[in-house]
């Protein structure tokens, strides 16, 4: 049965590599938070967690299944938690092209796009290898982005490897189902790719198509102009951060990377029930929350 417990997702959402525990310098760079006063976080109800966040988390988890088991939705518990899903395409090689899929979810009448992330160790080594270079966003793929929008080179490259397939599959899936909702999700690297996909889809699809994006453990993807673009294009964009997970704080703000609005923060998880206590953090880079995290 569909449980409101987040227990099953903890392996996905709760990693905090001991050696990287906040708020220590990472790669010799101090991850100092900004100075904006962006308002007090407010509690998120259990029903909102269950209705709006849990299902995207289940889809994000499923993106870690090998694509060979996604085509017929046969990857065991992660797939069984989401009965009735119909997959249009699944692919990736678990390397240069992380696993991804496009599916329909009859229960919510939604086309779902999900991207695999990387395990934490690989995530950090990848980030380290490709440094933190920002490049101009691809003006063909993101025609409404201003010329000052810059994003992480490696994230854009990874998104580019599946972008055309994702766009054409979503277009045909919307046409064949008649649905008008799209959900884009993913975890860590998959969250970065998903947020780029969400912006791309919003620009490419007709305005009656609702693009929802709920992502987990999102690293910083681009500069201030990118963060502003996400906020204006995707009013319901939500990125879930978990306790002291350091991934949402890389690449650092000192290198001009900024998180968009829409942070939903897990402050604690009840070990016996698996229920998460969460709060909504107003603004970009909510300072009140960042301060609490640093002292907790
Ligand atoms: C920009 O995006 C288009 C459409 O996806 C793609 O064909 C092109 O190769 C991309 N340009 C670069 C420099 O990656
Ligand atoms: C965890 O949930 C149980 C059952 O609802 C409750 O009795 C307990 O007090 C909770 N623990 C914490 C630390 O909140
Ligand atoms: C909950 O579980 C985690 C991981 O097993 C453990 O580190 C932590 O101490 C537990 N917290 C409580 C309140 O039991």
């Amino acid at each position: 049965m569909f449980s409101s417990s987040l227990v099953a997702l903890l392996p996905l959402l709760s990693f905090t590599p001991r050696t990287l525990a906040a708020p220590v310098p990472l790669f010799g760079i101090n991850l100092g938070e900004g100075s904006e006063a962006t308002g007090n976080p407010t509690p998120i109800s259990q029903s909102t967690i269950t209705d709006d966040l849990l299902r995207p988390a289940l889809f994000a988890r499923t993106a870690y299944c090998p694509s060979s088991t996604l085509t017929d939705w046969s990857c065991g518990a992660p797939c069984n938690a989401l009965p009735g899903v119909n997959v249009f395409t699944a692919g990736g090689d678990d390397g240069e092209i992380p696993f991804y899929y496009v599916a329909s979810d009859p229960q919510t009448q939604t086309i779902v796009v999900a991207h695999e992330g990387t395990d934490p160790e690989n995530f950090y080594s990848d980030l380290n290898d490709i440094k933190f270079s920002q490049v101009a966003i691809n003006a063909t793929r993101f025609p409404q982005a201003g010329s000052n929008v810059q994003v992480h080179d490696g994230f854009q490259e990874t998104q580019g490897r599946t972008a055309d397939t994702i766009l054409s599959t979503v277009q045909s899936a919307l046409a064949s189902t008649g649905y008008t909702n799209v959900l884009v999700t993913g975890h860590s690297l998959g969250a970065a790719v998903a947020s780029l996909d969400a912006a791309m889809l919003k620009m490419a699809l007709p305005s009656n198509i609702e693009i929802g994006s709920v992502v987990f453990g999102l690293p910083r993807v681009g500069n201030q102009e990118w963060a502003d673009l996400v906020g204006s294009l995707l009013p319901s964009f939500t990125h879930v951060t978990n306790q002291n997970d350091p991934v949402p704080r890389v690449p650092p703000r000192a290198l001009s990377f900024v998180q968009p609005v829409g942070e939903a923060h897990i402050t604690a998880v009840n070990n016996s029930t698996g229920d998460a206590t969460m709060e909504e953090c107003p603004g970009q880079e909510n300072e009140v929350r960042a301060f609490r995290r640093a002292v907790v």
Side-chain angles (χ1 to χ4, degrees), residues 59-221:
F59 278 109
R61 179 177 67 160
T62 308
Y64 280 86
C65 300
S67 51
S68 58
T69 68
L70 286 173
T71 313
D72 60 356
W73 210 245
S74 65
C75 71
C79 288
N80 295 340
L82 294 161
V85 167
N86 173 39
V87 176
F88 293 94
T89 190
D93 57 13
D94 200 22
E96 288 257 291
I97 305 180
F99 295 136
Y100 64 92
Y101 65 86
V102 178
S104 64
D105 177 18
Q107 183 168 319
T108 56
Q109 307 247 304
T110 298
I111 302 303
V112 178
V113 177
H115 290 275
E116 184 196 17
T118 45
D119 70 58
E121 272 153 44
N122 286 340
F123 183 79
Y124 284 105
S125 60
D126 288 354
L127 267 182
N128 212 8
D129 288 349
I130 48 190
K131 306 292 184 218
F132 298 125
S133 48
Q134 274 184 9
V135 294
I137 199 164
N138 182 324
T140 310
R141 207 174 287 143
F142 302 90
Q144 294 157 38
S147 56
N148 294 330
V149 175
Q150 301 235 329
V151 291
H152 185 279
D153 195 2
F155 296 158
Q156 171 153 266
E157 266 182 29
T158 304
Q159 192 257 350
R161 294 189 186 110
T162 56
D164 295 344
T165 302
I166 296 288
L167 175 56
S168 61
T169 309
V170 169
Q171 283 169 325
S172 60
L174 287 167
S176 68
T177 56
Y179 296 169
T180 55
N181 289 304
V182 178
L183 167 71
V184 193
T185 189
H187 171 247
S188 78
L189 172 62
V193 171
S195 60
L196 287 159
D197 269 7
M200 171 186 78
L201 293 169
K202 181 69 191 175
M203 292 178 187
L205 297 172
S207 58
N208 68 314
I209 305 296
E210 284 287 324
I211 310 294
S213 188
V214 179
V215 298
F216 302 86
L218 175 70
R220 294 189 178 106
V221 172

Side-chain angles (χ1 to χ4, degrees), residues 270-273:
N270 182 316
N271 280 1
S272 57
T273 62

